[in-house]
Amino acid sequence: MLAVYASAAGGDDPLANLAVGDLAAPVARPGWARVRVRVASLNHHDIWTLRGVSSTPVIPPQILGCDAAGEVDNYGEEPPAGAPAVGARVVVYPIVTCGQCVACLADDPTACRSFRMLSEAPLGGAFAEYVEIPVANLIELPDQVSYADAACLPTAYLTAYRALFVRAGLRPGMSVLVQGAGGGVATACILLGRLAGVTVYATSRDEAKRSFAVDLGAEAAFPVERQTARAVVGATGGIGVDAVVDTVGEPTWDLSLRAVRPGGVVVVPGSTGGPNPSAQLNRIFFRSLTVAGTTMGTLGELRRLVDLTATGALRPLIGSTHALRDAEAAFAEMARGDVRGKIVLEV
Ligand SMILES: [Zn+2]
């Protein structure tokens, strides 16, 4: 089958490790299903894998991709009652856990010690004609949800959903600052925050991305500079935002700590701009701030996102679409940071 994979990992040029070619199709084992992928979407996770940064060692050839939507192709054994029929349209929940530990039983899959995402060994990835996944990870798609929209949800929108409504505890009427407008998670935060009646502010170094953020529904968008903290505090009645979602890291951390209100939350779902800012612990304890890391979300939260998309209220923003065999162009776009919304691959 045609697949997009890491032929090596590490080195100075992650994109040099990217390969497109034929690999053996997976065969569904008992308890698992094989899905015929129709649309997949890119995440920074895929570039980290090419860099060799992964929760498990990258063993080439490793098929890339966490996000897939398509049709159930077959099952490894007679599926349990209630499983989608062969041929049913589905989106894939990309997290595989042990299902038995205390974290799994408490519906906190990201805390499971055997947590793996699609494209992390020994799992295959979504950028291929077929992907194998546990039956319990299949979510049937309502007719109103397209494959392309569904393929945006499992990583970026799920991460944003959990960051905003679980980790930051945002409610209607509250406010959030979204750092680094343009990327998949940041775009999802702006759209989901607005839908929930949260006032959203955004930042970007790029003026075009700032106006893009306002077009998406941000109340205002600011450059990444020190005076922006004062502007955000001023815009929130002299208090500061209730929460910040900072996927950037080093370039934005100081601003995150200054723009959030005393007692507020800074949620960290990524660090695309570098992982080691000056911590400023003085600011954190004196202003009673919470720093909350977050990764992905639960199967139930992904189901809610599918339902929300089916109502028509949420339309995931797709920045560009490529054929699977043109994945190199898609990866180059993501590596340049030249992204507005999600980059999708049609299989
Ligand atoms: Zn577990």
Side-chain angles (χ1 to χ4, degrees):
M1 65 172 182
L2 186 65
V4 175
Y5 58 95
S7 58
D12 293 336
D13 179 10
L15 295 195
N17 300 329
L18 184 67
V20 181
D22 272 319
L23 291 178
V27 176
R29 69 199 102 164
W32 293 56
R34 190 167 83 162
V35 171
R36 170 78 172 90
V37 181
R38 294 296 177 186
V39 182
S41 81
L42 265 73
N43 295 287
H44 279 284
H45 185 278
D46 302 309
I47 291 187
W48 289 115
T49 305
L50 292 171
R51 287 197 174 120
V53 181
S54 177
S55 60
T56 57
V58 180
I59 305 164
Q62 172 64 57
I63 300 177
L64 301 168
C66 303
D67 294 347
E71 294 131 36
V72 177
D73 184 60
N74 62 41
Y75 286 103
E77 64 185 0
E78 190 62 30
V86 169
R89 301 168 71 251
V90 293
V91 64
V92 170
Y93 177 63
I95 295 173
V96 179
T97 60
C98 77
Q100 294 164 5
C101 71
V102 170
C104 286
L105 294 176
D107 197 24
D108 189 10
T110 62
C112 174
R113 289 188 65 178
S114 56
F115 170 98
R116 296 275 184 283
M117 299 210 356
L118 278 185
S119 79
E120 294 176 356
L123 301 176
F127 298 165
E129 289 176 82
Y130 296 95
V131 66
E132 190 203 10
I133 191 78
V135 175
N137 289 43
L138 299 175
I139 299 176
E140 200 157 350
L141 289 176
D143 292 341
Q144 306 91 310
V145 181
S146 70
Y147 286 136
D149 286 352
C152 295
L153 302 178
T155 298
Y157 282 73
L158 182 59
T159 296
Y161 187 98
R162 192 169 178 85
L164 294 173
F165 307 125
V166 181
R167 301 298 273 153
L170 288 169
R171 300 285 182 269
M174 296 175 82
S175 58
V176 66
L177 176 67
V178 178
Q179 301 273 29
V185 174
T187 304
C189 282
I190 296 172
L191 292 176
L192 288 170
R194 285 284 297 163
L195 271 178
V198 171
T199 301
V200 180
Y201 302 94
T203 66
S204 175
R205 282 178 301 191
D206 182 67
E207 193 179 341
K209 287 184 181 172
R210 292 199 290 275
S211 60
F212 164 73
V214 171
D215 289 344
L216 286 180
E219 183 74 18
F222 305 97
V224 179
E225 58 188 27
R226 204 164 177 166
Q227 300 91 293
T228 289
R230 189 168 296 173
V232 172
V233 169
T236 50
I239 298 167
V241 283
D242 294 297
V244 179
V245 178
D246 190 341
T247 55
V248 183
E250 285 172 25
T252 50
W253 189 246
D254 179 72
L255 179 53
S256 292
L257 296 185
R258 290 173 187 274
V260 72
R261 69 163 165 82
V265 185
V266 180
V267 185
V268 181
S271 57
T272 55
N276 291 309
S278 166
Q280 303 189 42
L281 298 178
N282 53 335
R283 216 170 270 285
I284 291 171
F285 79 75
F286 192 67
R287 304 182 69 232
S288 298
L289 303 182
T290 298
V291 175
T294 195
T295 298
M296 306 294 289
T298 67
L299 179 66
E301 288 157 0
L302 181 56
R303 276 180 184 272
R304 289 201 186 111
L305 278 167
V306 170
D307 290 346
L308 182 62
T309 309
T311 66
L314 174 65
R315 191 79 210 273
L317 192 97
I318 295 171
S320 71
T321 303
H322 302 262
L324 183 67
R325 64 175 66 252
D326 300 329
E328 280 179 29
F331 271 80
E333 216 172 83
M334 170 152 275
R336 281 198 305 270
D338 187 15
V339 192
R340 304 216 183 141
K342 293 286 289 174
I343 300 171
V344 306
L345 296 174
E346 289 181 335
V347 182

